[in-house]
């Protein structure tokens, strides 16, 4: 029997090994983000357990940032391309995942990872289109690029000043990797020259897309914060280049372009559903925005059984919104339709998938699908 080893020296790798002696009792602890207490994300490689009934015990799962692990199943992969769920139990303190590996190397993660290299490949793919301009907004604290994609059909008969400005941001919380899978699906469809929905949207809109708002936190294996420990989705009222340059740079660009429709893409650790959170608590919320929100949700539900509006966050009382969040700050600042989109780390309970749960591929499909409610709303948002 070969020696058991665990490694994490790769993009978003993170776990603490407590005991690695007995394959039936591998003891682990989820590590916190590099500069904050949030602990939830894990991603590591196990070698030496082929053919052995293996149990992974996450000893501090009950002390994680979002300790409701009930119904969650760990994702695993042999080739880092195809990820599947493995049987997982949670007793309120320890989470235990079980697998008998069929190969001597197997990876485990909280959700299907999205690497910085894949992020660069996505930008490379998009940059090949004649509808896309890549704009360098500046650098993160670890020195990575903040890249904005500006996407429109310049040859369309709609003057630029009449086009609707549609902004999408994703992965402010770096462990919510489903957000960048969503953007990958969104971009692949938007740039599909044969897709009639995309052709009309590129004529009527100018899209501004930030596929990864937090590249440092993503590479570091953080759940929720950037290299300085900032929760970027609490920085939108008063960002700084020293603490939250990612938000500072994007927010400056938003103030220069204006916004008619905003989507901020996230993942939710607890609720097994896809849903949105809007601006009902904003001081400037109006009947116009309420009607736009309802029409957007109805249009999305009409085309996707994976989207629903029954389960989600509590509605906020009038005037009680926290304007440090992207969606609320943008909705208030630009008096526009603005939504936080949430996808599950667990599964869509309305349409569960036994083998994969919620996945990168299903996130891509949801991202491609959102073009339809955008088309339904494009003539009403202003
Ligand atoms: C959430 S956004 C929370 C919005 N809440 C309501 N009630 N509108 C966050 O930043 O905490 C997004 C996320 O982390 O997924
Ligand atoms: Zn989030």
């Amino acid at each position: 029997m070969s020696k058991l080893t665990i490694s994490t020296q790769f993009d978003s790798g993170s776990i603490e090994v407590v005991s690695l002696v007995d394959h039936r009792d591998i003891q682990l602890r989820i590590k916190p983000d590099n500069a904050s207490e949030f602990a939830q994300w894990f991603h590591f490689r196990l070698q030496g357990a082929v053919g052995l009934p293996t149990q992974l015990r996450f000893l501090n799962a009950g002390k994680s940032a979002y300790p409701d692990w009930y119904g969650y199943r760990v994702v695993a992969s042999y080739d880092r391309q195809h990820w599947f769920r493995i049987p997982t139990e949670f007793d309120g303190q320890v989470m235990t995942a079980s697998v008998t590996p069929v190969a001597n190397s197997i990876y485990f993660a909280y959700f299907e990872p999205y690497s910085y290299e894949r992020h660069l490949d996505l930008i490379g793919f998009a940059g090949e289109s004649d509808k896309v301009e890549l704009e360098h907004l500046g650098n993160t604290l670890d020195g990575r690029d903040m890249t904005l994609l500006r996407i429109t059909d310049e040859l369309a008969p709609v003057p630029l000043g009449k086009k609707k400005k549609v902004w999408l941001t994703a992965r402010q919380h770096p462990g919510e990797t489903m957000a960048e899978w969503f953007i990958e699906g969104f971009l692949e469809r938007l740039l599909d020259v044969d897709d009639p929905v995309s052709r009309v949207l590129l004529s009527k809109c100018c899209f501004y897309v930030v596929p990864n708002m937090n590249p440092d936190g993503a590479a570091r294996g953080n759940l929720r914060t950037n290299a300085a420990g900032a929760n970027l989705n609490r920085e939108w009222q008063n960002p700084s280049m020293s603490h939250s340059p990612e938000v500072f740079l994007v927010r400056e660009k938003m103030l220069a372009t204006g916004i008619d429709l905003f989507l901020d893409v996230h993942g939710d650790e607890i609720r097994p559903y896809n849903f949105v959170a809007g601006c009902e608590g904003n001081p400037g919320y109006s009947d116009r925005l309420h009607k736009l929100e309802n029409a957007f949700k109805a249009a999305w539900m009409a085309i996707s059984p994976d989207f629903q509006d029954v389960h989600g966050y509590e509605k906020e009382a009038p005037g009680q919104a926290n304007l440090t969040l992207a969606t609320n700050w943008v909705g208030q600042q630009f008096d526009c339709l603005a939504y936080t989109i949430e996808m599950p780390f667990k599964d869509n309970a309305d349409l569960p998938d036994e083998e994969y749960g919620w996945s990168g591929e299903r996130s891509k499909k949801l991202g491609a699908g959102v073009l339809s409610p955008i088309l339904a709303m494009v003539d009403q948002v202003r």
Side-chain angles (χ1 to χ4, degrees):
M1 184 170 75
S2 57
K3 183 172 175 298
L4 295 175
T5 60
I6 281 181
S7 54
T8 57
Q9 292 312 304
F10 39 78
D11 188 291
S12 82
S14 178
I15 198 68
E16 179 191 336
V17 178
V18 175
S19 168
L20 189 54
V21 176
D22 178 355
H23 58 84
R24 290 157 304 186
D25 183 20
I26 295 176
Q27 298 179 25
L28 307 163
R29 293 175 62 80
I30 299 170
K31 288 173 69 174
D33 290 5
N34 71 291
S36 84
E37 279 71 53
F38 292 112
Q40 193 92 13
W41 175 264
F42 57 88
H43 181 194
F44 57 97
R45 177 187 186 191
L46 170 68
Q47 297 183 77
V50 60
L52 303 177
T54 299
Q55 287 216 319
L56 305 168
R57 297 179 63 234
F58 298 82
L59 303 178
N60 62 342
K63 296 269 187 293
S64 68
Y66 299 91
D68 172 354
W69 296 89
Y70 297 103
Y72 168 76
R73 291 178 291 156
V74 170
V75 292
S77 176
Y78 294 105
D79 64 2
R80 307 175 77 211
Q81 307 300 317
H82 304 93
W83 294 79
F84 52 93
R85 300 278 178 161
I86 61 174
T88 304
E89 299 294 328
F90 178 56
D91 66 9
Q93 187 181 347
V94 175
M95 180 168 72
T96 303
S98 309
V99 63
T100 301
V102 298
N104 217 23
S105 167
I106 182 169
Y107 289 80
F108 302 98
Y110 180 31
F111 195 81
E112 187 169 351
Y114 198 104
S115 72
Y116 188 59
E117 289 301 311
R118 190 177 185 112
H119 164 77
L120 295 176
D121 289 348
L122 179 61
I123 290 170
F125 152 75
E128 287 295 282
S129 166
D130 62 359
K131 307 294 190 300
V132 176
E133 265 177 39
L134 301 180
E135 183 171 341
H136 179 66
L137 297 179
N139 289 96
T140 64
L141 295 172
D142 286 346
R144 291 185 179 85
D145 296 338
M146 284 301 291
T147 302
L148 172 72
L149 280 60
R150 179 181 177 279
I151 311 171
T152 192
D153 179 355
E154 303 283 9
L155 302 178
V158 179
L160 192 59
K162 295 278 186 211
K163 292 195 181 213
K164 302 300 175 6
K165 283 93 67 185
V166 181
W167 269 82
L168 285 86
T169 56
R171 221 173 161 183
Q172 289 195 80
H173 297 134
E176 297 165 9
T177 56
M178 61 287 281
E180 195 157 8
W181 287 109
F182 180 102
I183 295 293
E184 182 175 302
F186 174 87
L187 291 174
E188 285 180 352
R189 184 177 180 194
L190 185 62
L191 299 178
D192 176 354
V193 295
D194 298 318
D195 188 308
V197 171
S198 305
R199 292 177 58 196
V200 171
L201 283 176
L202 290 173
S203 166
K204 291 189 167 189
C205 304
C206 187
F207 289 88
Y208 297 88
V209 182
V210 183
N212 187 342
M213 278 290 298
N214 196 338
D216 291 355
R220 285 171 173 267
N222 287 353
L223 170 78
R224 204 155 169 82
T225 57
N226 73 353
N231 175 352
L232 297 185
N233 207 27
R234 299 298 184 273
E235 290 289 321
W236 285 79
Q237 259 189 326
N238 188 25
S240 70
M241 284 303 289
S242 58
H243 191 61
S244 48
E246 301 90 347
V247 173
F248 187 92
L249 293 165
V250 169
R251 187 175 178 277
E252 286 300 295
K253 185 67 184 180
M254 288 175 167
L255 290 167
T257 66
I259 301 182
D260 297 312
L261 196 169
F262 176 64
L263 301 175
D264 181 37
V265 192
H266 287 256
D268 186 88
E269 291 78 4
I270 297 169
R271 298 161 187 82
Y273 296 102
N274 294 294
F275 60 94
V276 289
C279 294
E280 72 281 349
N282 280 12
Y285 194 62
S286 60
D287 194 46
R288 175 181 82 87
L289 292 176
H290 181 60
K291 287 190 170 77
L292 288 176
E293 288 187 346
N294 286 340
F296 184 89
K297 289 185 291 188
W300 203 353
M301 281 185 281
I303 61 99
S304 174
D306 260 335
F307 182 76
Q308 58 79 52
D309 188 35
V310 171
H311 307 276
Y313 296 139
E314 288 291 306
K315 296 296 181 211
E316 293 184 316
Q320 297 307 307
N322 178 347
L323 298 184
T324 67
L325 277 73
T327 291
N328 298 100
W329 180 80
V330 166
Q332 181 69 21
Q333 176 70 26
F334 300 101
D335 188 26
C336 69
L337 176 57
Y339 263 138
T340 298
I341 295 172
E342 295 287 352
M343 290 171 279
F345 279 93
K346 297 176 182 177
D347 197 351
N348 170 8
D350 290 337
L351 204 57
D353 183 313
E354 185 52 36
E355 188 171 358
Y356 300 110
W358 192 253
S359 66
E361 189 56 35
R362 293 177 78 185
S363 305
K364 285 187 66 170
K365 293 284 192 296
L366 197 70
V370 83
L371 269 73
S372 297
I374 295 174
L375 180 67
M377 303 306 298
V378 67
D379 295 328
Q380 304 170 48
V381 289
R382 285 289 181 213

